[in-house]
Amino acid sequence: MIDAVERKIEQYLGELNDPYVFGLYRNLPHGKRLRTKLILKIAGSALKVVKTAATVEMIHAASLLHDDVIDDAYTRRGQTSVNADKGNKTAIMLGDILYSKAFFELNSISPEVAKVISNAVVALSLGELADVRLSEHFHTNRDAYLKMLYQKTASLMEASAEAGAILAGKNRQAYRQYGRNLGIAFQMIDDILDITEDSKTLGKPALHDFVEGKVTLPYIYLYEVLEEEDRTFLRSLHKKQLSDDEANWIKSAMKKHKTIEKSYAEATLLIEEAIALMESLGEHDLTNIAKAMIERKF
Ligand code: FPP
Ligand code: MG
């Protein structure tokens, strides 16, 4: 059924009658299609469901195109990013085309679904801006970090699950909660993998978050337990191109103070809550999606 969603996206983009734009989209590397999986598992494969998943994937692709411009990222999923290959202007406009067309199509699905998804895109954008601002300086504000993470990543998963529930006539609140927990845990794991995995596995440079200015949970927890001298040293590495020694210092300090484990435990708790919720509703497939998320390596 994921194929049906892909075909729907291609149909939507075909309607634009612009082979260049169509080609640009076709060259984008496919992600895990997590939001599509959620929507289809919750709501089945009726045309409205496929259309909803297609619009969500288009919005997600748009957000990543813009994110790579904002982050100055040269790769996306192991491939040269559009901004690196074709320039910022093209990446921004391709993003604009994808999300405008998605919004246009959303209107003919259901007003409730359109409301939920468009509201999530507002949150997504607020989250990205918060991310930019938080990355300007070293910080240890866990609450601000978690709020940003919810907005930037979880809001669209939350909305996807809720949209699925709306289309299937299921309990909106329960699926919304499931999507939110999954989304927050997803980004927490993403932040952990940035530290624990090598760049080849990630398809992007490792320890890149801190170099970019992003102070993620394992760094916040590390700072909390370090002595003053080490705190100063950690702060001095923020937004800096790290030497191998410096990268190793960070990794071994995190190992010593178990800050990866602490962050991972937090993600696991959210996943367990999501699993319990879905088990209580007999949604075993959704339980499996949640389990796979916590075990992923990229
Ligand atoms: C990835 O974060 C970024 C997001 C999940 C959301 C980005 C959202 C926007 C740019 C707003 C988009 C607005 C519209 C209208 C579509 P990351 O940089 O932490 O993750 P990465 O490692 O995958 O780049
Ligand atoms: Mg990014």
Side-chain angles (χ1 to χ4, degrees), residues 45-56:
S45 54
L47 184 58
K48 275 191 170 190
V49 180
V50 171
K51 284 182 173 179
T52 302
T55 61
V56 168

Side-chain angles (χ1 to χ4, degrees), residues 67 71 76 214:
D67 178 68
D71 287 346
R76 169 64 60 187
K214 297 182 187 191

Side-chain angles (χ1 to χ4, degrees), residues 59 62-64 66-68 70-71 76 99 121 124-125 128 131 152-153 187 190 204 214:
I59 291 168
S63 77
L64 296 182
H66 287 185
D67 178 68
D68 284 342
I70 292 165
D71 287 346
R76 169 64 60 187
Y99 82 74
V121 181
L124 198 73
S125 309
E128 183 79 352
D131 194 15
K152 188 182 73 169
T153 310
Q187 190 62 46
D190 216 58
K204 58 186 175 188
K214 297 182 187 191

Side-chain angles (χ1 to χ4, degrees), residues 127-138:
E128 183 79 352
L129 183 58
D131 194 15
V132 168
R133 296 190 65 205
L134 280 172
S135 304
E136 280 167 1
H137 306 286
F138 184 85

Side-chain angles (χ1 to χ4, degrees), residues 117-152:
I117 301 291
S118 48
N119 199 37
V121 181
V122 177
L124 198 73
S125 309
L126 289 170
E128 183 79 352
L129 183 58
D131 194 15
V132 168
R133 296 190 65 205
L134 280 172
S135 304
E136 280 167 1
H137 306 286
F138 184 85
H139 76 91
T140 53
N141 190 339
R142 180 178 173 274
D143 289 346
Y145 174 72
L146 289 178
K147 180 179 175 192
M148 176 278 291
L149 194 147
Y150 160 68
Q151 291 180 313
K152 188 182 73 169

Side-chain angles (χ1 to χ4, degrees), residues 48 98 114 121 164 171 221 264 268 285:
K48 275 191 170 190
L98 287 174
V121 181
N171 177 338
Y221 291 146
Y264 193 76
T268 307
D285 283 349

Side-chain angles (χ1 to χ4, degrees), residues 20-34:
Y20 179 66
V21 167
F22 193 80
L24 284 176
Y25 173 77
R26 286 289 296 264
N27 277 337
L28 293 179
H30 284 185
K32 295 176 263 300
R33 296 288 190 229
L34 191 56

